[in-house]
Amino acid sequence: MSRWTTVATNGRKRWAAVVAGGALVLTAALSAAPASADTAQAYPVTMTISPFNAKKTATGCKDIYWWVTVSGLKSDTSYSFTTSAKQGTASPITGSLVSYPLKNGKNKVAGYVCGSTRKAGPYKINAAVRVSGKVQGAAEARGTLKVTPALDINGYDTSKGFYVYGYPDPAIDMKGKEVKIYFKKRGTTTYKVVGKTKVNSSGKWGFTSTKLTYGHVYVGYAGSTYVLKAKSDSGQIVPAGTSSANSLSLG
């Protein structure tokens, strides 16, 4: 005859069957090991993060925002608060409170993001509250940063055909991306794809074709989850010596 009891193992309890003075330990513990030290503990301060789903600028910089909701803060205690958003091995986006001090309830956090240095994509957001260096509360969430790239188009005639090129922003997101060249011959109304190419490691794309004659041309990017659909202004290919707005000289 056997009976069931619990035995402590590394601070956790699991079931064991006691039979004839010996213990047959079940292979699976009732509770799984915690994912991390922060999430494993029952802190006196509880925190949750409302993550950002933001768009950065193709050029320049701006603030993005997320919110940290806190409860359990005591009025007679001095707390330090930190929060950041990180992607891979890149340096994190440091967040700072919009209104000080940290309070029980919803706290708005700003993070300064420059389009040329912060890559679009998913981010892991962390927040923590400490007293004398000891963590009193912690939280984690996933945020998303997107961008609509800025595309330009330039061009000139060569012996092998008309050459168009550009330097899309932000280069950090557009390197390796495929762009398509659209052309509308003078006297027609419909743009057609005449070719495609990729943005190189220097942040430039270039394309040469004899199909590019008098008419209008632009470059487009089809878009992805984080780097959104975009196209350049149209450039007009005109005879050499002709000057007009956004004109590209042929011949």
Side-chain angles (χ1 to χ4, degrees):
M1 182 175 179
S2 66
R3 61 186 177 85
W4 291 96
T5 185
T6 58
V7 294
T9 304
N10 295 330
R12 298 194 303 274
K13 291 182 177 181
R14 59 182 182 179
W15 290 102
V18 180
V19 182
L24 298 177
V25 180
L26 296 182
T27 56
L30 289 183
S31 59
S36 68
D38 282 347
T39 57
Q41 301 182 45
Y43 292 118
V45 176
T46 59
M47 306 173 67
T48 58
I49 299 172
S50 299
F52 56 81
N53 183 4
K55 282 184 69 174
K56 66 173 183 172
T57 56
T59 59
C61 307
K62 63 177 285 189
D63 280 328
I64 62 170
Y65 301 96
W66 61 95
W67 287 260
V68 180
T69 302
V70 181
S71 63
L73 298 176
K74 297 179 180 180
S75 59
D76 60 349
T77 303
S78 178
Y79 296 92
S80 64
F81 172 72
T82 57
T83 183
S84 64
K86 187 173 177 62
Q87 184 188 81
T89 59
S91 60
I93 301 168
T94 301
S96 58
L97 292 171
V98 173
S99 298
Y100 287 89
L102 184 73
K103 65 181 186 296
N104 286 317
K106 201 171 185 179
N107 298 268
K108 189 176 184 180
V109 174
Y112 194 60
V113 171
C114 292
S116 62
T117 58
R118 299 297 185 180
K119 197 169 184 179
Y123 280 76
K124 182 169 72 173
I125 310 169
N126 287 289
V129 169
R130 293 176 174 83
V131 175
S132 300
K134 185 177 180 181
V135 176
Q136 301 295 302
E140 183 178 295
R142 296 291 188 272
T144 299
L145 191 61
K146 299 179 181 180
V147 68
T148 299
L151 305 183
D152 65 329
I153 191 164
N154 309 277
Y156 54 85
D157 197 21
T158 74
S159 59
K160 296 181 180 180
F162 198 80
Y163 175 66
V164 287
Y165 65 96
Y167 298 88
D169 288 313
I172 193 173
D173 295 305
M174 287 301 294
K175 290 176 182 179
K177 295 289 194 298
E178 183 180 88
V179 295
K180 293 181 179 179
I181 294 83
Y182 296 81
F183 176 66
K184 180 178 69 173
K185 192 173 182 178
R186 186 169 62 181
T188 65
T189 58
T190 303
Y191 280 97
K192 295 182 180 181
V193 177
V194 294
K196 59 185 179 181
T197 187
K198 289 186 177 181
V199 181
N200 66 23
S201 59
S202 298
K204 178 184 178 181
W205 64 269
F207 177 77
T208 303
S209 177
T210 56
K211 295 179 181 178
L212 294 172
T213 58
Y214 301 141
H216 290 81
V217 60
Y218 73 88
V219 62
Y221 170 63
S224 62
T225 303
Y226 304 111
V227 184
L228 307 180
K229 183 178 180 179
K231 69 176 185 177
S232 71
D233 291 335
S234 175
Q236 184 178 11
I237 302 176
V238 297
T242 304
S243 178
S244 63
N246 298 323
S247 64
L248 310 175
S249 180
L250 176 64

